[in-house]
């Protein structure tokens, strides 16, 4: 479903903030497309790894993902700063960019959904393990009214979790 060429790398050079002509408009659009393509390629790979349960491997993309995100934000900022001029000089280019950006956002939403699901599942597992540990450590006693006694703080065992996977 990737509509972008993920092998293109984003340009990191700063562009002047002057009113873009036709060539400058194309350059701004190419820079944004390059940034979206590079980020999308990485995000798709991360999504595949998380779906396959290879979270540790997916975490290795964190620094590259941050770098590509900064490039994307810089390209979007540059494009927004020149949007009025682009709308006049290259409206068809701007509408093409909007369509590509909509597809890009859809893929980002898929990635965020997969990450949120993985987070919810792992949190549920940790809470379940903690509940089982606490059940085993709490004495089975009742109050004078026949209700189950609530455990005191000395019966609660802390659960330590290593975040390094």
């Amino acid at each position: 479903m990737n509509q972008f060429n993920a092998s293109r790398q984003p340009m990191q050079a700063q562009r002047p903030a002057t009113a873009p002509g036709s060539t400058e408009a194309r350059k701004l659009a190419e820079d944004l497309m390059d940034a979206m393509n590079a980020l999308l390629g990485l995000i798709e790979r991360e999504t595949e790894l998380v779906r396959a349960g290879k979270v540790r491997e997916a975490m290795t993309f964190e620094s590259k993902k941050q770098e590509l995100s900064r490039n994307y934000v810089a390209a979007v900022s540059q494009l927004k700063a020149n949007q009025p001029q682009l709308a006049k000089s290259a409206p068809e280019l701007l509408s093409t960019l909007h369509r590509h950006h909509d597809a890009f956002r859809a893929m980002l939403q898929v990635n965020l959904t997969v990450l949120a699901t993985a987070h919810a599942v792992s949190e549920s597992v940790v809470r379940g393990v903690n509940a089982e540990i606490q059940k085993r450590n709490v004495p089975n006693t009742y109050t004078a009214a026949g209700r189950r006694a609530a455990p005191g703080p000395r019966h609660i065992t802390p659960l330590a979790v290593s975040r390094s996977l």
Side-chain angles (χ1 to χ4, degrees), residues 31-165:
D31 288 349
L32 180 58
M33 289 297 292
D34 289 344
M36 282 193 296
N37 291 338
L39 187 56
L40 187 62
L42 185 80
I43 285 172
E44 285 178 338
R45 180 71 181 132
E46 179 188 54
T47 302
E48 290 170 11
L49 290 171
V50 171
R51 279 184 174 160
K54 299 177 181 178
V55 178
R56 184 183 305 233
E57 193 176 331
M59 287 174 58
T60 62
F61 295 142
E62 184 176 352
S63 62
K64 184 69 175 169
K65 189 174 171 183
Q66 287 175 351
E67 175 190 337
L68 293 175
S69 295
R70 279 191 296 273
N71 293 343
Y72 167 75
V73 169
V76 168
S77 298
Q78 189 67 31
L79 195 72
K80 279 185 179 180
N82 294 297
Q83 187 172 1
Q85 293 86 4
L86 280 171
K88 291 177 187 172
S89 66
E92 72 289 338
L93 182 62
L94 205 53
S95 66
T96 301
L97 278 174
H98 280 292
R99 284 192 308 273
H100 283 292
H101 197 262
D102 288 342
F104 177 73
R105 280 197 316 235
M107 290 304 296
L108 283 178
Q109 189 60 46
V110 169
N111 178 262
L112 290 174
T113 303
V114 168
L115 293 176
T117 302
H119 181 268
V121 167
S122 63
E123 184 177 338
S124 175
V125 167
V126 170
R127 288 185 188 274
V129 167
N130 185 45
E132 286 300 315
I133 289 172
Q134 299 312 323
K135 265 194 231 179
R136 293 181 185 160
N137 293 329
V138 174
N140 226 357
T141 59
Y142 296 91
T143 64
R147 294 193 181 121
R148 195 164 215 188
R154 65 187 170 124
H155 295 292
I156 296 176
T157 306
L159 175 66
V161 178
S162 172
R163 299 190 119 204
S164 65
L165 294 176

